Every structure is written in C-alpha cells, then in structure tokens.
Amino acid sequence: MTKRTLPLLTLALGIATLIAFIALGSQPAVSDVFAVSERSTYVSAFQRSETLSDIAAVFGSPADPAKIAAMDALNTLDLWAFIPVYALFLIAAAILLGGVRNRWTQIAIIFALLGAVGDVIETWKQLQLTADIDNAEAHLPIAPWHWLKYAALALNGVAIASLCFTSAKKRWILGAIALASFPLVVLSYMDAITPRAFAATFAIYWIALLVIAGVELFRRPTAA
C-alpha cells in the first residue's frame, strides 16, 4: 500500500457517500411526492415516530400509498447503499487521521459501526412498518434506534476531535467541527433545538473529512 492509497480510498468513499445521499431524495418515487424543502422534515418525523399519531402525521390517515412508496424507496436505498458506504468512509477517515493502532482511531471506528448498526435497525423497522401499515403500532417505536444512531455517530465525532487535538499533527478546525455534533444531538433529544441543527453539523463534519482526504491525497511528499 502506497502513502496515497488510504487518502484515495477515503476520498472515494466520501464521494460515494455524497452521491448516495443525493440519490436518496432524487428518486422519482421520492421527488414526485415530497418537495425538496419538506423531505428532511418527513424523514426525520418518521425516524422519531413513537405513536400512531406520529405515523399519521407522516403518511396521513388513511395512509397515502404514494407517501409509503416514497419512504420505501428512500429507506431501501438508505439500507443497501448509504449506510454501508458512510460507515466505511468514517472508518477509513479515522485510520487516515490517526493510524489503526491509535486508541482514538479505534474508538472512532467502534462508534461509527455502532451508529451504522443503529441506522440499519431503524431503517429495517421502518420498512417493516410500511409493509404492514395496518398494524403499524406493532412496529413502534422507531425513535430509540434513531437516537442510538445519532448518539453513536456524535461520539464518533468526539473521538475524531480527540484524535485531532492530541495527535502530533493538530487539526483544530476539524476537531472543533467534529466535536460540535455531540452537544447538538443532546440538545435536540431534549427538544431544545430542531433536529435540522445537528443534521447540518454532521453534513459539515463529513464534508470536512472529505476535504482532509483530498488534501492528504494531493499533498506533496515531504523530503527526507
């Protein structure tokens, strides 16, 4: 493995994550039903659902088949493309920043995997619910898995921040961005802020990792 292999892999996985994310809402089944401005609202509401009234707020009562099809399309692509690729991206980025033997790298990897597992269970339960919409209550709540997912991904950010602050090569800006997600998730869980706040922070954090991978890939080798 050359010195550019890991940055290249991380960059490729980051770009694949971005493409998969864009593809989620670009599917005709989704874009024909939900406007761009309201997709994240409905998706987040479904993920945080706990009662039948929460489900009715997302799909209507009786449930709109077009909205069910839209969520199924989104969640199917999420399960088979977005979740696996972002998990691999976060793992590769952690190794790129600290090396596989660094304890903070290992902690970051553990939380990335926990976040992905929570996301898989959340998404699978959503697909089970929409497939059995007349018996939706049996598949609730979805919310605990949603919060487990984001708590783990926020703690991945804390581990990456610790890596940035303690390594020989300090990355203060990336560390601050990575750290910001955790308090925002906590505040959102307490209903103090909208979930959009921490969602935006995660987007900035992951884009920052993508930029770092690109910088490392095209950095000129240091002379011995």
Side-chain angles (χ1 to χ4, degrees), residues 27-222:
Q27 301 172 92
V30 179
S31 59
D32 290 348
V33 175
F34 297 119
V36 175
S37 60
E38 63 183 11
R39 283 173 204 162
S40 62
T41 301
Y42 279 96
V43 169
S44 180
F46 190 18
Q47 291 175 345
R48 292 180 289 112
S49 59
E50 298 180 326
T51 66
L52 286 177
S53 60
D54 295 332
I55 297 300
V58 175
F59 298 106
S61 183
D64 184 346
K67 290 184 177 180
I68 292 176
M71 284 296 180
D72 282 350
L74 195 151
N75 283 322
T76 299
L77 187 60
D78 188 19
L79 185 64
W80 295 107
F82 184 60
I83 297 173
V85 78
Y86 84 61
L88 291 173
F89 169 56
L90 292 177
I91 290 170
I95 296 172
L96 174 65
L97 291 170
V100 73
R101 294 184 180 182
N102 187 293
R103 64 176 180 175
W104 288 116
T105 298
Q106 295 166 0
I107 292 170
I109 290 172
I110 290 170
F111 281 121
L113 290 173
L114 283 176
V117 169
D119 203 351
V120 166
I121 296 173
E122 172 200 68
T123 307
W124 178 79
K125 285 180 68 67
Q126 288 178 294
L127 288 167
Q128 293 295 305
L129 187 151
T130 50
D132 188 23
I133 193 69
D134 292 333
N135 193 32
E137 191 171 14
H139 304 282
L140 293 171
I142 305 295
W145 301 105
H146 167 81
W147 292 115
L148 172 64
K149 169 186 70 176
Y150 278 117
L153 292 176
L155 288 170
N156 162 267
V158 172
I160 290 295
S162 300
L163 183 60
C164 291
F165 297 153
T166 60
S167 63
K169 183 178 181 180
K170 303 291 191 294
R171 290 185 169 91
W172 299 107
I173 296 176
L174 175 60
I177 293 171
L179 190 61
S181 58
F182 182 74
L184 293 181
V185 168
V186 173
L187 288 171
S188 180
Y189 179 76
M190 297 168 61
D191 290 327
I193 61 172
T194 173
R196 287 189 176 186
F198 73 74
T201 305
F202 274 114
I204 295 170
Y205 165 39
W206 290 9
I207 290 171
L209 290 177
L210 182 62
V211 170
I212 289 294
V215 169
E216 292 298 321
L217 177 62
F218 296 107
R219 185 187 299 278
R220 290 183 179 180
T222 304

